[in-house]
Amino acid sequence: MIGALALFVAAGLAVVGQRALTDPRIPLDAWVWFGGAAVLAVYALTRLPDKEPTEPMPPTRLPGRPIRIVSMLIMVLAVVANGWALSRLLRSGVDRLGLTGWAVSLGALAIGGWLFGALQKRLDNNNPASEVVAKQEPLKPAGSEPTVPQVQSEPVLSSAPSPASDANNVPVETPVRIPVWLELTLVVAIAVLAIYLRVHRLEQMPPGIFVDETNAALDAIAIMEGRRDSPFGTGWFETPTMYAYYLVGLFKVLGTTFVSLKVASLLPGILTVLLLYPLARLMFGIPTALVATFLLAVSRWHFNMSRWGWNEVAPPLFQLGATYFLLRGARSRQMRDFAIGGILLGLGMYTYLASRLVVAVILAYLVYRIVVERGFLRKAWAGLIVFWLAYMMTFAPLASTYIRNPFTFLNRSRQVSIFNDVERAGGSYAPLWENTKRHLLMFHVRGDNNPRHNL
């Protein structure tokens, strides 16, 4: 209750601070209000219960030595095939055999992880004692109080405080259960709303086709007409050429039309809304997942950008996918989840350049979890190796382009850096503060005057 009240007050201080940016009648500087909001928000978050709403990770139990050898051999062969494919791609740039080998190596890595997990599950099913241990010994966060072991007959989807207590007067939590038909109905309703907001009057909002859309489309048409662009190179404003091949696929299915250009962003935009639900459900349970998915479905920024036929809406899709499988792998200890998560994170690098920040966010999360959760690294180190190995195998062909020609990696970032304005201002940081102010104002006060961004 105290945490919720602190969070409510923090939200109010943040609103006042945002208004103070433009209203001189509000006392104190805006940053004072923002500072108070930040302190209260941190306090509120520390008051949240640290309980996992789903089944915890099972105790460590590896399959037998022969099974481990076979599974690991498949993954090793996948790494070798990836290196061979990369060598061919480096020599010729456009090589069907090398491209096929690269794709096959990623699939083999995922299959090796799946085989490892499937055989481990089969062994556990043949050992009822280990299954009981897995259910009776849930993973407790570091520093938490010991609880009485309880057998759960089914996963806890979401939980809410309950006045009930066990024999030792330790408060227990009763799961909030929602009928499956109601959950599916609500998810479908949110999905329909998300689609409607992204396709309604598509020919009018935003008005017309913009330069980024047309240049990427021209690259795709040139490839269709025979230009031999490597899918691991870069094109318009150092955009990875793989995006142009994505457009080629859309053009071949839908034709070189206005709708094809818009589907290029509509498809990942809608899929992002749908993918948020299983991630939020895994982390927080059904009620929170429904609210989070609804908020993304009606997010003004997200559905506006989903209408703009460009690839800047794609990184969140791959970020959600990579995070979902990473978290699921951390709980299930299934190598296939880690492998799929790493592949999705690597594929995200072939979209908008901001996907580089996604890697930094996931790295920061893992460092945080290793620091605060005792035993996490010891239990999940093998899966984390597979996760980052899958990422590097997926990203390697594009990374080789960046290494051979650093201009393709740094140019666009240097062009749009705010520090260019700082340099032109003689070293003054006034442009940085003005930029920060405008970003804060865009949420609730005043957005971009460009109709492409601010319908």
Side-chain angles (χ1 to χ4, degrees), residues 198-199 201-203 208-209 213 217 243 246-247 249-268 306-310:
R198 286 155 179 78
V199 301
R201 296 173 62 188
L202 183 62
E203 71 285 353
I209 299 175
E213 297 176 80
Y243 180 71
Y246 165 62
L247 288 176
L250 293 178
F251 288 165
K252 289 186 175 181
V253 174
L254 303 175
T256 51
T257 63
F258 173 86
V259 173
S260 298
L261 284 179
K262 298 302 180 181
V263 168
S265 60
L266 286 172
L267 186 59
S306 298
R307 292 167 167 267
W308 182 25
W310 187 229

PDB file of all heavy atoms in Angstrom, residues 198-199 201-203 208-209 213 217 243 246-247 249-268 306-310:
ATOM      1  N   ARG A 198      -3.916   0.587 -36.715  1.00  0.00           N
ATOM      2  CA  ARG A 198      -2.759   0.648 -37.605  1.00  0.00           C
ATOM      3  C   ARG A 198      -3.133   0.602 -39.084  1.00  0.00           C
ATOM      4  O   ARG A 198      -2.265   0.890 -39.918  1.00  0.00           O
ATOM      5  CB  ARG A 198      -1.789  -0.492 -37.252  1.00  0.00           C
ATOM      6  CG  ARG A 198      -1.030  -0.208 -35.962  1.00  0.00           C
ATOM      7  CD  ARG A 198      -0.551  -1.441 -35.246  1.00  0.00           C
ATOM      8  NE  ARG A 198       0.184  -1.091 -34.027  1.00  0.00           N
ATOM      9  CZ  ARG A 198      -0.386  -0.718 -32.889  1.00  0.00           C
ATOM     10  NH1 ARG A 198      -1.707  -0.671 -32.808  1.00  0.00           N
ATOM     11  NH2 ARG A 198       0.336  -0.394 -31.843  1.00  0.00           N
ATOM     12  N   VAL A 199      -4.365   0.261 -39.414  1.00  0.00           N
ATOM     13  CA  VAL A 199      -4.745   0.192 -40.830  1.00  0.00           C
ATOM     14  C   VAL A 199      -5.874   1.160 -41.193  1.00  0.00           C
ATOM     15  O   VAL A 199      -6.100   1.413 -42.380  1.00  0.00           O
ATOM     16  CB  VAL A 199      -5.173  -1.245 -41.214  1.00  0.00           C
ATOM     17  CG1 VAL A 199      -4.044  -2.233 -40.946  1.00  0.00           C
ATOM     18  CG2 VAL A 199      -6.438  -1.671 -40.475  1.00  0.00           C
ATOM     19  N   ARG A 201      -7.773   4.144 -42.407  1.00  0.00           N
ATOM     20  CA  ARG A 201      -7.412   5.287 -43.253  1.00  0.00           C
ATOM     21  C   ARG A 201      -5.915   5.311 -43.533  1.00  0.00           C
ATOM     22  O   ARG A 201      -5.252   6.358 -43.480  1.00  0.00           O
ATOM     23  CB  ARG A 201      -7.868   6.596 -42.611  1.00  0.00           C
ATOM     24  CG  ARG A 201      -9.388   6.712 -42.476  1.00  0.00           C
ATOM     25  CD  ARG A 201      -9.802   7.930 -41.691  1.00  0.00           C
ATOM     26  NE  ARG A 201      -9.361   9.156 -42.358  1.00  0.00           N
ATOM     27  CZ  ARG A 201      -9.455  10.380 -41.823  1.00  0.00           C
ATOM     28  NH1 ARG A 201      -9.963  10.521 -40.608  1.00  0.00           N
ATOM     29  NH2 ARG A 201      -9.040  11.436 -42.475  1.00  0.00           N
ATOM     30  N   LEU A 202      -5.388   4.149 -43.858  1.00  0.00           N
ATOM     31  CA  LEU A 202      -3.952   4.015 -44.070  1.00  0.00           C
ATOM     32  C   LEU A 202      -3.461   4.872 -45.228  1.00  0.00           C
ATOM     33  O   LEU A 202      -2.337   5.378 -45.216  1.00  0.00           O
ATOM     34  CB  LEU A 202      -3.616   2.539 -44.330  1.00  0.00           C
ATOM     35  CG  LEU A 202      -2.144   2.178 -44.501  1.00  0.00           C
ATOM     36  CD1 LEU A 202      -1.352   2.498 -43.242  1.00  0.00           C
ATOM     37  CD2 LEU A 202      -1.988   0.703 -44.857  1.00  0.00           C
ATOM     38  N   GLU A 203      -4.328   5.070 -46.233  1.00  0.00           N
ATOM     39  CA  GLU A 203      -3.923   5.850 -47.409  1.00  0.00           C
ATOM     40  C   GLU A 203      -3.834   7.335 -47.114  1.00  0.00           C
ATOM     41  O   GLU A 203      -3.277   8.103 -47.911  1.00  0.00           O
ATOM     42  CB  GLU A 203      -4.902   5.606 -48.560  1.00  0.00           C
ATOM     43  CG  GLU A 203      -6.289   6.221 -48.377  1.00  0.00           C
ATOM     44  CD  GLU A 203      -7.154   5.477 -47.382  1.00  0.00           C
ATOM     45  OE1 GLU A 203      -6.734   4.387 -46.927  1.00  0.00           O
ATOM     46  OE2 GLU A 203      -8.263   5.970 -47.089  1.00  0.00           O
ATOM     47  N   GLY A 208       1.042  10.346 -47.705  1.00  0.00           N
ATOM     48  CA  GLY A 208       2.039  10.072 -48.722  1.00  0.00           C
ATOM     49  C   GLY A 208       3.091   9.060 -48.316  1.00  0.00           C
ATOM     50  O   GLY A 208       3.028   8.425 -47.262  1.00  0.00           O
ATOM     51  N   ILE A 209       4.096   8.912 -49.188  1.00  0.00           N
ATOM     52  CA  ILE A 209       5.220   8.002 -48.985  1.00  0.00           C
ATOM     53  C   ILE A 209       6.469   8.856 -48.815  1.00  0.00           C
ATOM     54  O   ILE A 209       6.672   9.818 -49.558  1.00  0.00           O
ATOM     55  CB  ILE A 209       5.367   7.041 -50.180  1.00  0.00           C
ATOM     56  CG1 ILE A 209       4.101   6.198 -50.334  1.00  0.00           C
ATOM     57  CG2 ILE A 209       6.569   6.133 -49.998  1.00  0.00           C
ATOM     58  CD1 ILE A 209       4.111   5.314 -51.560  1.00  0.00           C
ATOM     59  N   GLU A 213      11.137   5.282 -47.144  1.00  0.00           N
ATOM     60  CA  GLU A 213      10.382   4.195 -47.773  1.00  0.00           C
ATOM     61  C   GLU A 213      10.784   4.009 -49.228  1.00  0.00           C
ATOM     62  O   GLU A 213      11.003   2.887 -49.696  1.00  0.00           O
ATOM     63  CB  GLU A 213       8.886   4.492 -47.699  1.00  0.00           C
ATOM     64  CG  GLU A 213       8.311   4.570 -46.306  1.00  0.00           C
ATOM     65  CD  GLU A 213       6.850   4.970 -46.340  1.00  0.00           C
ATOM     66  OE1 GLU A 213       5.995   4.109 -46.602  1.00  0.00           O
ATOM     67  OE2 GLU A 213       6.555   6.159 -46.103  1.00  0.00           O
ATOM     68  N   ALA A 217      12.741   0.886 -51.016  1.00  0.00           N
ATOM     69  CA  ALA A 217      12.015   0.183 -52.070  1.00  0.00           C
ATOM     70  C   ALA A 217      12.816   0.149 -53.365  1.00  0.00           C
ATOM     71  O   ALA A 217      12.811  -0.861 -54.093  1.00  0.00           O
ATOM     72  CB  ALA A 217      10.668   0.854 -52.314  1.00  0.00           C
ATOM     73  N   TYR A 243      17.156  -5.924 -44.960  1.00  0.00           N
ATOM     74  CA  TYR A 243      15.836  -5.298 -44.979  1.00  0.00           C
ATOM     75  C   TYR A 243      15.326  -5.153 -46.405  1.00  0.00           C
ATOM     76  O   TYR A 243      14.130  -5.323 -46.663  1.00  0.00           O
ATOM     77  CB  TYR A 243      15.897  -3.934 -44.301  1.00  0.00           C
ATOM     78  CG  TYR A 243      14.571  -3.221 -44.289  1.00  0.00           C
ATOM     79  CD1 TYR A 243      13.539  -3.660 -43.478  1.00  0.00           C
ATOM     80  CD2 TYR A 243      14.337  -2.112 -45.104  1.00  0.00           C
ATOM     81  CE1 TYR A 243      12.307  -3.017 -43.468  1.00  0.00           C
ATOM     82  CE2 TYR A 243      13.110  -1.468 -45.098  1.00  0.00           C
ATOM     83  CZ  TYR A 243      12.107  -1.919 -44.275  1.00  0.00           C
ATOM     84  OH  TYR A 243      10.888  -1.286 -44.270  1.00  0.00           O
ATOM     85  N   TYR A 246      13.924  -8.359 -47.386  1.00  0.00           N
ATOM     86  CA  TYR A 246      12.596  -8.492 -46.772  1.00  0.00           C
ATOM     87  C   TYR A 246      11.539  -7.813 -47.645  1.00  0.00           C
ATOM     88  O   TYR A 246      10.458  -8.366 -47.889  1.00  0.00           O
ATOM     89  CB  TYR A 246      12.649  -7.880 -45.378  1.00  0.00           C
ATOM     90  CG  TYR A 246      11.312  -7.606 -44.718  1.00  0.00           C
ATOM     91  CD1 TYR A 246      10.418  -8.631 -44.433  1.00  0.00           C
ATOM     92  CD2 TYR A 246      10.962  -6.308 -44.351  1.00  0.00           C
ATOM     93  CE1 TYR A 246       9.206  -8.377 -43.799  1.00  0.00           C
ATOM     94  CE2 TYR A 246       9.750  -6.042 -43.727  1.00  0.00           C
ATOM     95  CZ  TYR A 246       8.880  -7.071 -43.452  1.00  0.00           C
ATOM     96  OH  TYR A 246       7.689  -6.814 -42.836  1.00  0.00           O
ATOM     97  N   LEU A 247      11.871  -6.629 -48.166  1.00  0.00           N
ATOM     98  CA  LEU A 247      10.957  -5.940 -49.070  1.00  0.00           C
ATOM     99  C   LEU A 247      10.784  -6.725 -50.377  1.00  0.00           C
ATOM    100  O   LEU A 247       9.679  -6.760 -50.938  1.00  0.00           O
ATOM    101  CB  LEU A 247      11.467  -4.533 -49.373  1.00  0.00           C
ATOM    102  CG  LEU A 247      11.361  -3.503 -48.250  1.00  0.00           C
ATOM    103  CD1 LEU A 247      11.993  -2.178 -48.681  1.00  0.00           C
ATOM    104  CD2 LEU A 247       9.912  -3.285 -47.857  1.00  0.00           C
ATOM    105  N   GLY A 249      10.746  -9.910 -50.711  1.00  0.00           N
ATOM    106  CA  GLY A 249       9.757 -10.949 -50.427  1.00  0.00           C
ATOM    107  C   GLY A 249       8.343 -10.406 -50.417  1.00  0.00           C
ATOM    108  O   GLY A 249       7.426 -11.028 -50.976  1.00  0.00           O
ATOM    109  N   LEU A 250       8.148  -9.216 -49.815  1.00  0.00           N
ATOM    110  CA  LEU A 250       6.808  -8.613 -49.802  1.00  0.00           C
ATOM    111  C   LEU A 250       6.363  -8.238 -51.210  1.00  0.00           C
ATOM    112  O   LEU A 250       5.192  -8.423 -51.571  1.00  0.00           O
ATOM    113  CB  LEU A 250       6.804  -7.378 -48.900  1.00  0.00           C
ATOM    114  CG  LEU A 250       6.994  -7.624 -47.399  1.00  0.00           C
ATOM    115  CD1 LEU A 250       7.014  -6.305 -46.651  1.00  0.00           C
ATOM    116  CD2 LEU A 250       5.880  -8.518 -46.857  1.00  0.00           C
ATOM    117  N   PHE A 251       7.290  -7.700 -52.006  1.00  0.00           N
ATOM    118  CA  PHE A 251       6.935  -7.301 -53.373  1.00  0.00           C
ATOM    119  C   PHE A 251       6.550  -8.514 -54.222  1.00  0.00           C
ATOM    120  O   PHE A 251       5.643  -8.433 -55.060  1.00  0.00           O
ATOM    121  CB  PHE A 251       8.101  -6.570 -54.028  1.00  0.00           C
ATOM    122  CG  PHE A 251       8.328  -5.179 -53.483  1.00  0.00           C
ATOM    123  CD1 PHE A 251       9.509  -4.499 -53.725  1.00  0.00           C
ATOM    124  CD2 PHE A 251       7.354  -4.549 -52.721  1.00  0.00           C
ATOM    125  CE1 PHE A 251       9.721  -3.231 -53.231  1.00  0.00           C
ATOM    126  CE2 PHE A 251       7.550  -3.272 -52.218  1.00  0.00           C
ATOM    127  CZ  PHE A 251       8.738  -2.608 -52.471  1.00  0.00           C
ATOM    128  N   LYS A 252       7.224  -9.623 -54.020  1.00  0.00           N
ATOM    129  CA  LYS A 252       6.900 -10.806 -54.803  1.00  0.00           C
ATOM    130  C   LYS A 252       5.546 -11.398 -54.408  1.00  0.00           C
ATOM    131  O   LYS A 252       4.867 -12.012 -55.234  1.00  0.00           O
ATOM    132  CB  LYS A 252       7.999 -11.860 -54.642  1.00  0.00           C
ATOM    133  CG  LYS A 252       9.296 -11.476 -55.351  1.00  0.00           C
ATOM    134  CD  LYS A 252      10.302 -12.604 -55.303  1.00  0.00           C
ATOM    135  CE  LYS A 252      11.548 -12.257 -56.117  1.00  0.00           C
ATOM    136  NZ  LYS A 252      12.544 -13.361 -56.116  1.00  0.00           N
ATOM    137  N   VAL A 253       5.161 -11.195 -53.152  1.00  0.00           N
ATOM    138  CA  VAL A 253       3.871 -11.725 -52.697  1.00  0.00           C
ATOM    139  C   VAL A 253       2.738 -10.754 -52.988  1.00  0.00           C
ATOM    140  O   VAL A 253       1.670 -11.144 -53.485  1.00  0.00           O
ATOM    141  CB  VAL A 253       3.929 -12.036 -51.187  1.00  0.00           C
ATOM    142  CG1 VAL A 253       2.556 -12.444 -50.666  1.00  0.00           C
ATOM    143  CG2 VAL A 253       4.941 -13.151 -50.927  1.00  0.00           C
ATOM    144  N   LEU A 254       2.950  -9.464 -52.714  1.00  0.00           N
ATOM    145  CA  LEU A 254       1.884  -8.469 -52.815  1.00  0.00           C
ATOM    146  C   LEU A 254       2.024  -7.533 -54.005  1.00  0.00           C
ATOM    147  O   LEU A 254       1.113  -6.730 -54.269  1.00  0.00           O
ATOM    148  CB  LEU A 254       1.840  -7.626 -51.523  1.00  0.00           C
ATOM    149  CG  LEU A 254       1.655  -8.407 -50.218  1.00  0.00           C
ATOM    150  CD1 LEU A 254       1.763  -7.467 -49.025  1.00  0.00           C
ATOM    151  CD2 LEU A 254       0.305  -9.118 -50.212  1.00  0.00           C
ATOM    152  N   GLY A 255       3.171  -7.619 -54.706  1.00  0.00           N
ATOM    153  CA  GLY A 255       3.394  -6.697 -55.811  1.00  0.00           C
ATOM    154  C   GLY A 255       4.067  -5.424 -55.318  1.00  0.00           C
ATOM    155  O   GLY A 255       4.075  -5.111 -54.133  1.00  0.00           O
ATOM    156  N   THR A 256       4.634  -4.667 -56.249  1.00  0.00           N
ATOM    157  CA  THR A 256       5.311  -3.416 -55.889  1.00  0.00           C
ATOM    158  C   THR A 256       4.260  -2.315 -55.769  1.00  0.00           C
ATOM    159  O   THR A 256       4.096  -1.462 -56.638  1.00  0.00           O
ATOM    160  CB  THR A 256       6.359  -3.047 -56.952  1.00  0.00           C
ATOM    161  OG1 THR A 256       5.740  -3.080 -58.247  1.00  0.00           O
ATOM    162  CG2 THR A 256       7.514  -4.012 -56.936  1.00  0.00           C
ATOM    163  N   THR A 257       3.568  -2.333 -54.644  1.00  0.00           N
ATOM    164  CA  THR A 257       2.428  -1.445 -54.447  1.00  0.00           C
ATOM    165  C   THR A 257       2.585  -0.633 -53.166  1.00  0.00           C
ATOM    166  O   THR A 257       3.459  -0.886 -52.329  1.00  0.00           O
ATOM    167  CB  THR A 257       1.126  -2.257 -54.347  1.00  0.00           C
ATOM    168  OG1 THR A 257       1.204  -3.107 -53.189  1.00  0.00           O
ATOM    169  CG2 THR A 257       0.923  -3.118 -55.587  1.00  0.00           C
ATOM    170  N   PHE A 258       1.698   0.341 -53.013  1.00  0.00           N
ATOM    171  CA  PHE A 258       1.635   1.157 -51.809  1.00  0.00           C
ATOM    172  C   PHE A 258       1.402   0.282 -50.579  1.00  0.00           C
ATOM    173  O   PHE A 258       2.026   0.469 -49.530  1.00  0.00           O
ATOM    174  CB  PHE A 258       0.508   2.181 -51.964  1.00  0.00           C
ATOM    175  CG  PHE A 258       0.219   2.974 -50.722  1.00  0.00           C
ATOM    176  CD1 PHE A 258       0.935   4.132 -50.435  1.00  0.00           C
ATOM    177  CD2 PHE A 258      -0.784   2.594 -49.846  1.00  0.00           C
ATOM    178  CE1 PHE A 258       0.669   4.869 -49.293  1.00  0.00           C
ATOM    179  CE2 PHE A 258      -1.063   3.316 -48.706  1.00  0.00           C
ATOM    180  CZ  PHE A 258      -0.327   4.460 -48.426  1.00  0.00           C
ATOM    181  N   VAL A 259       0.525  -0.695 -50.718  1.00  0.00           N
ATOM    182  CA  VAL A 259       0.210  -1.572 -49.593  1.00  0.00           C
ATOM    183  C   VAL A 259       1.447  -2.362 -49.161  1.00  0.00           C
ATOM    184  O   VAL A 259       1.701  -2.544 -47.962  1.00  0.00           O
ATOM    185  CB  VAL A 259      -0.943  -2.520 -49.960  1.00  0.00           C
ATOM    186  CG1 VAL A 259      -1.159  -3.560 -48.861  1.00  0.00           C
ATOM    187  CG2 VAL A 259      -2.218  -1.728 -50.194  1.00  0.00           C
ATOM    188  N   SER A 260       2.248  -2.816 -50.112  1.00  0.00           N
ATOM    189  CA  SER A 260       3.457  -3.577 -49.779  1.00  0.00           C
ATOM    190  C   SER A 260       4.407  -2.748 -48.927  1.00  0.00           C
ATOM    191  O   SER A 260       4.998  -3.250 -47.964  1.00  0.00           O
ATOM    192  CB  SER A 260       4.160  -4.027 -51.060  1.00  0.00           C
ATOM    193  OG  SER A 260       3.336  -4.889 -51.813  1.00  0.00           O
ATOM    194  N   LEU A 261       4.568  -1.474 -49.282  1.00  0.00           N
ATOM    195  CA  LEU A 261       5.444  -0.609 -48.501  1.00  0.00           C
ATOM    196  C   LEU A 261       4.944  -0.475 -47.070  1.00  0.00           C
ATOM    197  O   LEU A 261       5.732  -0.488 -46.120  1.00  0.00           O
ATOM    198  CB  LEU A 261       5.532   0.774 -49.141  1.00  0.00           C
ATOM    199  CG  LEU A 261       6.409   0.904 -50.389  1.00  0.00           C
ATOM    200  CD1 LEU A 261       6.352   2.332 -50.911  1.00  0.00           C
ATOM    201  CD2 LEU A 261       7.844   0.525 -50.074  1.00  0.00           C
ATOM    202  N   LYS A 262       3.650  -0.330 -46.903  1.00  0.00           N
ATOM    203  CA  LYS A 262       3.102  -0.149 -45.559  1.00  0.00           C
ATOM    204  C   LYS A 262       3.109  -1.455 -44.763  1.00  0.00           C
ATOM    205  O   LYS A 262       3.292  -1.438 -43.545  1.00  0.00           O
ATOM    206  CB  LYS A 262       1.680   0.407 -45.646  1.00  0.00           C
ATOM    207  CG  LYS A 262       1.603   1.779 -46.298  1.00  0.00           C
ATOM    208  CD  LYS A 262       2.459   2.797 -45.556  1.00  0.00           C
ATOM    209  CE  LYS A 262       2.398   4.167 -46.199  1.00  0.00           C
ATOM    210  NZ  LYS A 262       3.258   5.160 -45.500  1.00  0.00           N
ATOM    211  N   VAL A 263       2.918  -2.582 -45.438  1.00  0.00           N
ATOM    212  CA  VAL A 263       2.963  -3.876 -44.745  1.00  0.00           C
ATOM    213  C   VAL A 263       4.341  -4.098 -44.136  1.00  0.00           C
ATOM    214  O   VAL A 263       4.476  -4.763 -43.101  1.00  0.00           O
ATOM    215  CB  VAL A 263       2.589  -5.010 -45.714  1.00  0.00           C
ATOM    216  CG1 VAL A 263       2.915  -6.375 -45.117  1.00  0.00           C
ATOM    217  CG2 VAL A 263       1.104  -4.947 -46.048  1.00  0.00           C
ATOM    218  N   ALA A 264       5.374  -3.515 -44.748  1.00  0.00           N
ATOM    219  CA  ALA A 264       6.728  -3.671 -44.231  1.00  0.00           C
ATOM    220  C   ALA A 264       6.847  -3.228 -42.785  1.00  0.00           C
ATOM    221  O   ALA A 264       7.645  -3.788 -42.015  1.00  0.00           O
ATOM    222  CB  ALA A 264       7.714  -2.888 -45.100  1.00  0.00           C
ATOM    223  N   SER A 265       6.066  -2.229 -42.377  1.00  0.00           N
ATOM    224  CA  SER A 265       6.075  -1.792 -40.981  1.00  0.00           C
ATOM    225  C   SER A 265       4.836  -2.270 -40.224  1.00  0.00           C
ATOM    226  O   SER A 265       4.893  -2.476 -39.010  1.00  0.00           O
ATOM    227  CB  SER A 265       6.170  -0.267 -40.898  1.00  0.00           C
ATOM    228  OG  SER A 265       5.071   0.342 -41.553  1.00  0.00           O
ATOM    229  N   LEU A 266       3.722  -2.445 -40.924  1.00  0.00           N
ATOM    230  CA  LEU A 266       2.510  -2.923 -40.255  1.00  0.00           C
ATOM    231  C   LEU A 266       2.716  -4.317 -39.653  1.00  0.00           C
ATOM    232  O   LEU A 266       2.282  -4.593 -38.525  1.00  0.00           O
ATOM    233  CB  LEU A 266       1.339  -2.964 -41.242  1.00  0.00           C
ATOM    234  CG  LEU A 266       0.731  -1.627 -41.645  1.00  0.00           C
ATOM    235  CD1 LEU A 266      -0.278  -1.826 -42.767  1.00  0.00           C
ATOM    236  CD2 LEU A 266       0.065  -0.959 -40.451  1.00  0.00           C
ATOM    237  N   LEU A 267       3.372  -5.185 -40.399  1.00  0.00           N
ATOM    238  CA  LEU A 267       3.551  -6.569 -39.948  1.00  0.00           C
ATOM    239  C   LEU A 267       4.366  -6.643 -38.645  1.00  0.00           C
ATOM    240  O   LEU A 267       3.897  -7.216 -37.659  1.00  0.00           O
ATOM    241  CB  LEU A 267       4.199  -7.394 -41.058  1.00  0.00           C
ATOM    242  CG  LEU A 267       4.338  -8.887 -40.806  1.00  0.00           C
ATOM    243  CD1 LEU A 267       2.978  -9.523 -40.571  1.00  0.00           C
ATOM    244  CD2 LEU A 267       5.037  -9.562 -41.993  1.00  0.00           C
ATOM    245  N   PRO A 268       5.569  -6.053 -38.583  1.00  0.00           N
ATOM    246  CA  PRO A 268       6.293  -6.111 -37.305  1.00  0.00           C
ATOM    247  C   PRO A 268       5.602  -5.315 -36.203  1.00  0.00           C
ATOM    248  O   PRO A 268       5.685  -5.684 -35.023  1.00  0.00           O
ATOM    249  CB  PRO A 268       7.669  -5.525 -37.637  1.00  0.00           C
ATOM    250  CG  PRO A 268       7.474  -4.741 -38.872  1.00  0.00           C
ATOM    251  CD  PRO A 268       6.388  -5.430 -39.634  1.00  0.00           C
ATOM    252  N   SER A 306       3.978   2.398 -36.849  1.00  0.00           N
ATOM    253  CA  SER A 306       3.612   1.173 -37.562  1.00  0.00           C
ATOM    254  C   SER A 306       3.040   1.480 -38.938  1.00  0.00           C
ATOM    255  O   SER A 306       3.055   0.611 -39.822  1.00  0.00           O
ATOM    256  CB  SER A 306       2.588   0.376 -36.740  1.00  0.00           C
ATOM    257  OG  SER A 306       3.129  -0.029 -35.507  1.00  0.00           O
ATOM    258  N   ARG A 307       2.548   2.692 -39.132  1.00  0.00           N
ATOM    259  CA  ARG A 307       1.990   3.080 -40.432  1.00  0.00           C
ATOM    260  C   ARG A 307       3.054   3.593 -41.391  1.00  0.00           C
ATOM    261  O   ARG A 307       2.800   3.700 -42.588  1.00  0.00           O
ATOM    262  CB  ARG A 307       0.950   4.197 -40.227  1.00  0.00           C
ATOM    263  CG  ARG A 307      -0.310   3.766 -39.506  1.00  0.00           C
ATOM    264  CD  ARG A 307      -1.116   4.976 -39.070  1.00  0.00           C
ATOM    265  NE  ARG A 307      -2.461   4.604 -38.658  1.00  0.00           N
ATOM    266  CZ  ARG A 307      -3.518   4.613 -39.476  1.00  0.00           C
ATOM    267  NH1 ARG A 307      -3.371   4.977 -40.726  1.00  0.00           N
ATOM    268  NH2 ARG A 307      -4.699   4.248 -39.035  1.00  0.00           N
ATOM    269  N   TRP A 308       4.196   3.952 -40.859  1.00  0.00           N
ATOM    270  CA  TRP A 308       5.266   4.489 -41.691  1.00  0.00           C
ATOM    271  C   TRP A 308       6.096   3.316 -42.191  1.00  0.00           C
ATOM    272  O   TRP A 308       6.748   2.634 -41.414  1.00  0.00           O
ATOM    273  CB  TRP A 308       6.100   5.467 -40.862  1.00  0.00           C
ATOM    274  CG  TRP A 308       7.207   6.121 -41.610  1.00  0.00           C
ATOM    275  CD1 TRP A 308       7.289   6.331 -42.948  1.00  0.00           C
ATOM    276  CD2 TRP A 308       8.400   6.651 -41.041  1.00  0.00           C
ATOM    277  NE1 TRP A 308       8.450   6.955 -43.268  1.00  0.00           N
ATOM    278  CE2 TRP A 308       9.161   7.173 -42.114  1.00  0.00           C
ATOM    279  CE3 TRP A 308       8.901   6.743 -39.756  1.00  0.00           C
ATOM    280  CZ2 TRP A 308      10.398   7.781 -41.925  1.00  0.00           C
ATOM    281  CZ3 TRP A 308      10.133   7.348 -39.578  1.00  0.00           C
ATOM    282  CH2 TRP A 308      10.868   7.854 -40.639  1.00  0.00           C
ATOM    283  N   GLY A 309       6.105   3.065 -43.475  1.00  0.00           N
ATOM    284  CA  GLY A 309       6.714   1.848 -44.025  1.00  0.00           C
ATOM    285  C   GLY A 309       8.216   1.827 -43.950  1.00  0.00           C
ATOM    286  O   GLY A 309       8.911   1.760 -44.973  1.00  0.00           O
ATOM    287  N   TRP A 310       8.734   1.846 -42.735  1.00  0.00           N
ATOM    288  CA  TRP A 310      10.183   1.843 -42.548  1.00  0.00           C
ATOM    289  C   TRP A 310      10.510   0.884 -41.423  1.00  0.00           C
ATOM    290  O   TRP A 310       9.628   0.421 -40.713  1.00  0.00           O
ATOM    291  CB  TRP A 310      10.665   3.275 -42.262  1.00  0.00           C
ATOM    292  CG  TRP A 310      12.154   3.472 -42.204  1.00  0.00           C
ATOM    293  CD1 TRP A 310      12.841   4.121 -41.219  1.00  0.00           C
ATOM    294  CD2 TRP A 310      13.135   3.070 -43.159  1.00  0.00           C
ATOM    295  NE1 TRP A 310      14.176   4.128 -41.490  1.00  0.00           N
ATOM    296  CE2 TRP A 310      14.393   3.486 -42.684  1.00  0.00           C
ATOM    297  CE3 TRP A 310      13.073   2.372 -44.363  1.00  0.00           C
ATOM    298  CZ2 TRP A 310      15.571   3.232 -43.365  1.00  0.00           C
ATOM    299  CZ3 TRP A 310      14.248   2.124 -45.049  1.00  0.00           C
ATOM    300  CH2 TRP A 310      15.475   2.552 -44.553  1.00  0.00           C
TER     301      TRP A 310
END
